[in-house]
Amino acid sequence: MEKKNIDWGNLGFTYMRTDQRFVANWKDGVWDDGAMTADADLVINECAGVLQYSQSCFEGLKAYTTEDGRIVTFRPDLNGQRMEDSCRRLEMPVYPKEKFVEAVIRTVKANESYVPPYGSGATLYIRPFMYASGPVIGVKPADEFQFRIFTTPVGPYFKGGVKPITIRISDFDRAAPNGTGHIKAGLNYAMSLYAIVDAHKQGFDENMYLDAATHTKVEETGGANFIFVTGDNKVVTPKSGSILPSITRRSLMYVAKEYLGLETEEREIYKEELKDFAECGLCGTAAVISPVGKIVDHGTEICLPAGMTDMGPVTRKLYDTLTGIQMGRIEAPAGWIQEIR
Ligand SMILES: *Cc1c(COP(=O)(O)O)cnc(C)c1O
């Protein structure tokens, strides 16, 4: 297939309209078969549930070209499962994960000419989402919904090399105990915007959110989970019911244990422990791992020994191994790579 004439290496993380997207509608208690469409615009009623009460959720994953020229996605079944969980918590109809994976494959195939070539560092970002399309004015779940998947090519996350970031401990909260922090709801992002804009104004790259109840334990940032490396090379990640279960983080913990032979632990991590860690990274689909060089706690700087110029050695190994698996250079655990073509 002929690739589009795109300067792959200079793409940012912005929306580019591609040729085809998947659409399915929920009406009278059932999903229709779904179809591909060239129409990127939506016409919805002014009273649609998504507009009035923010009934919506989403997912994010990527398609890659491997070293040997195949097009693959990474663990899309886990995105499908997570979207089911999000839908249940938001009183939205579940789009079954098996059909979710089929629809992802179909959408990527239909936009194959936008899948960046191997070695460009760019990828095809896949955005499945669901929203309440039916009108509601009394506060209740809508009765009509739309599920869509579009794709957009995105550039390499670390353009011009890796640069460790500086984050601050936030006074704002991201998620309440027993709230919606563990699901991928659009509303979680809406309420984090004020805090991230404020962080940027103050010169920080990201917010580190603490647990809302006690402000003593580390949770995550607005869109990525934490992993830490201890002085004796143990990989630890915070345990909490209000953290979004990142597929990247879960995969990295597996890689740490099974590929790198490191000890791993998911446990409560106290703010007071931050000064003792050797390395810190943010994990998510966008960057895989973004190294954190400095954490600022109300004027007190915690400088990670890994420094401000490169990834720490364990973070680097984790990054190289997981991206190697995704790009087909390293053998993947069974079921991790979904072949598309
Ligand atoms: C999507 C998301 C992540 C990262 O999850 P991945 O599955 O690794 O992409 C982390 N935190 C939040 C709040 C998220 O919404």
Side-chain angles (χ1 to χ4, degrees), residues 20-24 32-36 61 73 76 83 95-111 126-129 147-151 338 340:
Q20 295 284 325
R21 64 275 303 127
F22 179 81
V23 192
D32 66 15
D33 290 340
M36 299 306 299
L61 66 162
T73 58
M83 191 155 195
Y95 197 79
K97 56 180 184 282
E98 298 77 16
K99 291 183 66 180
F100 174 101
V101 173
E102 272 173 37
V104 164
I105 294 170
R106 203 170 155 188
T107 311
V108 174
K109 275 188 179 160
N111 295 288
I126 307 163
R127 171 52 62 89
F129 66 107
F147 171 64
R148 279 191 169 241
I149 307 177
F150 69 80
T151 59
Q338 172 70 57
I340 290 180

Side-chain angles (χ1 to χ4, degrees), residues 60 82 174 184 189 220-225 244 246-249 283-285:
R82 195 167 64 185
R174 191 192 82 89
K184 226 166 163 70
Y189 278 74
E220 62 171 319
T221 66
N225 285 183
L244 192 283
S246 157
I247 294 164
T248 314
R249 185 257 299 164
C283 7
T285 294

Side-chain angles (χ1 to χ4, degrees), residues 30-100:
V30 286
W31 286 109
D32 66 15
D33 290 340
M36 299 306 299
T37 173
D39 193 352
D41 299 317
L42 312 176
V43 177
I44 50 175
N45 183 265
E46 61 192 353
C47 205
V50 63
L51 299 179
Q52 302 310 324
Y53 304 124
S54 297
Q55 206 182 2
S56 76
C57 61
F58 67 99
E59 275 301 325
L61 66 162
K62 287 172 167 181
Y64 316 84
T65 305
T66 59
E67 190 168 31
D68 60 357
R70 290 170 300 139
I71 295 175
V72 302
T73 58
F74 183 69
R75 311 188 78 180
D77 53 318
L78 297 189
N79 295 95
Q81 178 63 56
R82 195 167 64 185
M83 191 155 195
E84 285 196 5
D85 298 340
S86 296
C87 289
R88 285 191 187 95
R89 179 64 176 78
L90 293 168
E91 289 295 340
M92 301 172 78
V94 162
Y95 197 79
K97 56 180 184 282
E98 298 77 16
K99 291 183 66 180
F100 174 101

